[in-house]
Amino acid sequence: MRPTYNNAREKKYILSQSVSQPTKIGVFYTAFYGVLAALVAICMWAFLQTLDPRIPKWTLDGSLIGTNPGLGFRPLPPTDNVESTLIWYKGTHHDNYKQWTDALDEFLAVYKVPGLTPGRGQNIYNCDYNQPPPKGQVCDVDIKAWAPCTKENNYSYHKSSPCVFLKLNKIYDWIPEYYNDSSDLPEAMPQNLKTYIGEMQKTQMHKMNTIWVSCEGENPADQENVGPVDYLPIRGFPGYFYPYQNSEGYLSPLVAVHFQRPKRGIIINIECKAWARNIIHDRKERVGSVHFELLID
């Protein structure tokens, strides 16, 4: 049964009420969410005022990263096999080893072209052990010192003696505690590295503040098959690159590890370690060391 209206004015009033009700609800929710968005924006703005874009709020022991840096290697296997750590190729086939040299080209591009790293340019400083970088400047990485591990030489992959680059993960404000006394070295350190440090102490004492590096076969058979290994430009990461403080244009130092004559046709398990008093090696947690395999057909 349809409702009846006493007059046209009553009918008009009821119709206006039915039309204005959704409008009022829309205005209410618009205002409500507008105020809510403004409160969130104010809170976010206030929070950002407490942060420095270059200095982490939590560092070292107070951060999730902690104080024990990890060690990484390049080139990495293709992304479709992300869990693999195997570097496998045929030394005489350019198309076969090209994926590895291309991966190194891409990784090293920022070291060769300063413009690829934001802020890297006029603030580059030619550091040395007795010449650390002034405040606001970053150390240059001498890519010429990596020879024969260079692009022009195919990183020596075509000679079945590949180069692998090592990089220590960055931890803000971390300061290495060096093994800079050959008479006080850990028992677990490889003997050839101990000998190297002893020779450095006699001939180049000023370079002792270095995070040393070792790469060797994991098992006795691997140690026999890996062959001689060379480290370029020196056997470790120079101390003048530390502490890392997120300076504009900073690039991590690299060590080129040249496997000169690895045995062909067999998988060689290799473990590389970074050596400092405050670096703990833990294979399970993947800190202080890195594992990969070589297979050259």
Side-chain angles (χ1 to χ4, degrees):
M1 182 175 179
R2 291 185 178 182
T4 59
Y5 303 100
N6 295 330
N7 51 51
R9 181 178 296 179
E10 183 180 351
K11 182 178 181 181
K12 185 177 180 181
Y13 172 77
I14 293 174
L15 288 174
S16 65
Q17 287 293 99
S18 62
V19 171
S20 63
Q21 193 68 19
T23 303
K24 291 179 179 179
I25 294 175
V27 170
F28 169 78
Y29 278 110
T30 300
F32 174 77
Y33 285 114
V35 172
L36 188 63
L39 289 174
V40 171
I42 292 172
C43 291
M44 183 62 69
W45 176 84
F47 172 72
L48 291 176
Q49 301 312 302
T50 68
L51 301 178
D52 189 300
R54 294 200 171 276
I55 303 176
K57 190 171 182 66
W58 310 107
T59 62
L60 300 176
D61 286 327
S63 70
L64 293 175
I65 297 176
T67 59
N68 206 49
L71 193 64
F73 77 95
R74 296 292 188 283
L76 294 174
T79 54
D80 58 355
N81 197 11
V82 68
E83 293 185 358
S84 174
T85 54
L86 175 63
I87 300 175
W88 178 19
Y89 72 98
K90 294 181 180 179
T92 56
H93 290 217
H94 175 265
D95 291 340
N96 192 266
Y97 67 73
K98 185 176 182 296
Q99 66 168 326
W100 302 105
T101 57
D102 284 351
L104 284 177
D105 286 344
E106 182 179 354
F107 170 67
L108 298 173
V110 292
Y111 291 86
K112 298 177 181 180
V113 184
L116 295 179
T117 305
R120 189 170 178 83
Q122 294 182 351
N123 64 338
I124 297 178
Y125 188 74
N126 291 323
C127 304
D128 203 344
Y129 284 89
N130 297 323
Q131 192 172 304
K135 186 176 182 180
Q137 294 191 288
V138 295
C139 293
D140 193 16
V141 179
D142 186 8
I143 62 176
K144 297 178 181 178
W146 293 334
C149 298
T150 61
K151 178 178 181 177
E152 296 72 23
N153 192 45
N154 293 312
Y155 307 102
S156 206
Y157 276 68
H158 64 302
K159 298 180 180 179
S160 298
S161 56
C163 295
V164 175
F165 285 78
L166 299 181
K167 175 183 177 182
L168 198 65
N169 293 347
K170 293 179 287 190
I171 296 180
Y172 188 90
D173 239 8
W174 179 76
I175 300 176
E177 298 173 9
Y178 306 103
Y179 286 115
N180 51 14
D181 184 353
S182 60
S183 64
D184 185 22
L185 300 175
E187 185 178 348
M189 181 181 284
Q191 184 57 47
N192 59 8
L193 178 54
K194 292 180 180 179
T195 302
Y196 177 88
I197 295 174
E199 293 174 354
M200 290 288 287
Q201 189 169 6
K202 293 177 183 177
T203 60
Q204 302 183 68
M205 182 64 184
H206 66 290
K207 294 185 177 181
M208 291 299 288
N209 283 353
T210 297
I211 301 173
W212 309 107
V213 166
S214 67
C215 289
E216 58 182 358
E218 281 192 348
N219 307 305
D222 298 316
Q223 293 169 11
E224 292 181 9
N225 295 329
V226 72
V229 181
D230 194 15
Y231 304 84
L232 305 159
I234 64 171
R235 193 168 177 174
F237 305 104
Y240 51 77
F241 280 91
Y242 303 92
Y244 163 70
Q245 294 182 323
N246 201 21
S247 299
E248 192 173 46
Y250 177 90
L251 289 176
S252 297
L254 302 176
V255 175
V257 184
H258 184 204
F259 297 93
Q260 298 175 333
R261 292 189 301 276
K263 189 171 181 179
R264 298 177 62 174
I266 189 171
I267 294 180
I268 306 172
N269 295 283
I270 297 171
E271 184 176 43
C272 296
K273 294 180 178 180
W275 294 89
R277 297 183 188 277
N278 53 345
I279 294 180
I280 300 172
H281 303 130
D282 191 322
R283 289 183 182 177
K284 185 178 180 180
E285 297 296 329
R286 298 182 180 181
V287 291
S289 64
V290 68
H291 164 93
F292 57 91
E293 307 92 34
L294 278 181
L295 174 56
I296 306 172
D297 291 333

